[in-house]
Amino acid sequence: VLSTKVWKVSTTTLLFIVPPYWGCGCSTKAIGEVFFLLLKYFASSLPAGPGIKISEIFVSVGGIDYQSQKKITISGSKSISNRLLILQSIFSNITIKNLSTCDDTRHMSDALQSSLNKINIEHAGTAMRFLTSFFSVKKNSIVEIYGSKRMHKRPISILVQSLKEIGAKIKYLENSGFPPLRIIGQKLQSKKLKIDSSISSQYISSLLLIAPKLKNGLELFLKGNITSLPYIEMTCNLLKKIGVGVDFDGSKIKVFPKNEIRPVTIDVESDWSSASYYYSIIALAKKGKVVLSTFNNNSLQGDNIIAKIYDDFGVKTTFLNKKIILEKTSKVKKHIDLDLIKSPDLAQTIVVSCYG
């Protein structure tokens, strides 16, 4: 915030410019756009003078002037990208297009390509969980995975215990149940596993991604209420997309073994979580229209529910040639009830919209 410059351009216009890289796990665009929304509604504290209304905002993030852009391209989904990077490391004939540019994906990619035996994933929680399983099944590898101080306070015992049950050699280097970890990769056993699904869907996805490498695959029995179900479904659908057999009946998931797959190219759909900020911007405007790419009507991402949610905020979504057109068409409903248990990443953006 201290390095963000604010200029009063006229009595009705504010210009905000954000540094090109803030580096906190999300894209610069995503962080900047939320920041602008918040600034707009705290703008009354700025020295604009008595009786002045802020009616127009020019947005510049990393040198991009969004007001002058008619079409905005959002990078690939972080969730899809991270899963595909693990699968690509297992099956080398997977080609990925439109990979996410966020920190989590960058740390994941760097770790998978690294020849070092000590890997720092900083604050990338997805990378920590997915790489724990990946390095457990990578034969003849000895790796220590560590991260930021905050990362070392995030529990990982449910995943580690499940991996140990199928033969993984993992050691806690500091506090039991938490990173950093020392992992000796080896051949793991096929087994029926019971896992608590009420804590994190990433534990389940982490196991599913390595399951094709096991001699007889893997069978998971999910205990408790499943959290973030769309992310588990995303993992299953990506496995199917590359030719791996998957059965999922709601409380049991079976992944069949697969030694080789046919060459496949996957164009990663843009991130619906990042698109949510543009939904919020259009919802807060009296009138507005923006085109975002690349998005599919039959998305693998659970956060595509944002299109339906923002109907109630007066934002119409039109799908056209792998693009979405967002347009303010009506007023916001006075009362909106939402259950975001399946899409928790959308909650903060929606709160900002409601506040506005």
Side-chain angles (χ1 to χ4, degrees):
V1 172
L2 292 177
S3 62
T4 298
K5 299 178 182 179
V6 180
W7 286 279
K8 177 183 156 190
V9 179
S10 70
T11 56
T12 59
T13 303
L14 284 181
L15 172 65
F16 300 109
I17 296 184
V18 155
Y21 180 69
W22 283 14
C24 61
C26 301
S27 66
T28 303
K29 295 177 184 177
I31 301 164
E33 286 141 17
V34 170
F35 180 66
F36 297 133
L37 291 175
L38 292 172
L39 273 180
K40 179 179 178 181
Y41 293 101
F42 287 103
S44 58
S45 64
L46 298 174
I52 300 301
K53 292 180 67 178
I54 308 303
S55 62
E56 187 173 10
I57 293 181
F58 290 86
V59 178
S60 178
V61 186
I64 301 174
D65 180 359
Y66 286 106
Q67 217 236 14
S68 66
Q69 291 229 340
K70 295 181 180 179
K71 186 183 79 171
I72 299 170
T73 300
I74 298 176
S75 77
S77 159
K78 176 184 76 172
S79 300
I80 294 176
S81 294
N82 289 343
R83 285 160 173 78
L84 285 176
L85 283 173
I86 293 292
L87 291 174
Q88 186 185 55
S89 296
I90 296 173
F91 302 105
S92 60
N93 51 355
I94 295 176
T95 301
I96 307 172
K97 293 184 177 180
N98 194 35
L99 195 68
S100 170
T101 57
C102 78
D103 284 0
D104 271 25
T105 301
R106 179 172 57 84
H107 285 305
M108 177 82 79
S109 180
D110 289 348
L112 291 169
Q113 296 177 47
S114 176
S115 59
L116 303 175
N117 61 359
K118 289 189 177 182
I119 295 175
N120 182 6
I121 53 84
E122 297 289 349
H123 43 263
T126 306
M128 174 62 75
R129 298 180 184 106
F130 287 6
L131 290 172
T132 296
S133 294
F134 174 77
F135 284 119
S136 293
V137 80
K138 186 179 180 182
K139 293 181 183 178
N140 304 318
S141 69
I142 301 176
V143 174
E144 292 182 5
I145 308 180
Y146 64 100
S148 62
K149 289 183 178 179
R150 181 184 174 193
M151 179 57 60
H152 293 178
K153 295 180 180 179
R154 299 177 69 173
I156 198 169
S157 58
I158 291 176
L159 176 59
V160 170
Q161 182 57 40
S162 295
L163 287 166
K164 285 184 174 180
E165 286 185 35
I166 56 176
K169 289 187 177 181
I170 304 173
K171 180 181 179 181
Y172 298 113
L173 295 179
E174 292 180 6
N175 299 317
S176 179
F178 299 86
L181 306 172
R182 186 172 189 265
I183 304 170
I184 300 176
Q186 60 179 359
K187 184 178 180 179
L188 301 184
Q189 308 160 13
S190 298
K191 190 177 180 181
K192 295 180 180 180
L193 282 178
K194 292 182 179 179
I195 185 169
D196 186 349
S197 58
S198 66
I199 307 299
S200 173
S201 65
Q202 288 187 1
Y203 298 152
I204 297 164
S205 288
S206 180
L207 292 166
L208 294 175
L209 290 170
I210 66 164
K213 286 285 289 181
L214 307 186
K215 183 178 180 180
N216 295 310
L218 188 64
E219 198 166 354
L220 296 181
F221 293 86
L222 310 183
K223 300 186 300 180
N225 295 323
I226 302 173
T227 185
S228 300
L229 175 62
Y231 290 98
I232 299 174
E233 293 174 333
M234 175 191 292
T235 305
C236 292
N237 285 328
L238 285 172
L239 286 167
K240 291 177 182 178
K241 197 176 186 72
I242 66 169
V244 175
V246 181
D247 288 338
F248 185 13
D249 70 359
S251 60
K252 183 180 74 174
I253 308 174
K254 184 173 183 179
V255 179
F256 296 88
K258 192 80 171 178
N259 293 323
E260 296 180 357
I261 64 168
R262 293 179 178 179
V264 59
T265 298
I266 299 179
D267 194 351
V268 179
E269 181 188 24
S270 293
D271 189 71
W272 278 97
S273 299
S274 294
S276 71
Y277 305 120
Y278 294 96
Y279 274 95
S280 191
I281 290 170
I282 298 299
L284 292 169
K286 290 183 179 179
K287 61 179 181 178
K289 184 177 181 180
V290 67
V291 180
L292 307 177
S293 62
T294 308
F295 291 94
N296 302 319
N297 203 353
N298 56 341
S299 174
L300 294 178
Q301 302 174 65
D303 284 349
N304 70 336
I305 191 68
I306 196 74
K308 182 178 180 182
I309 289 173
Y310 270 83
D311 275 341
D312 291 340
F313 288 87
V315 180
K316 177 185 176 183
T317 304
T318 303
F319 288 86
L320 182 65
N321 299 327
K322 291 191 175 182
K323 300 180 182 68
I324 53 173
I325 303 169
L326 312 185
E327 187 172 8
K328 186 66 174 288
T329 59
S330 60
K331 293 183 179 180
V332 181
K333 288 186 177 180
K334 290 184 178 180
H335 184 84
I336 300 173
D337 284 324
L338 296 172
D339 181 354
L340 299 175
I341 191 66
K342 293 182 179 180
S343 301
D345 291 349
L346 300 178
Q348 294 178 341
T349 308
I350 294 170
V351 166
V352 172
S353 299
C354 293
Y355 181 76

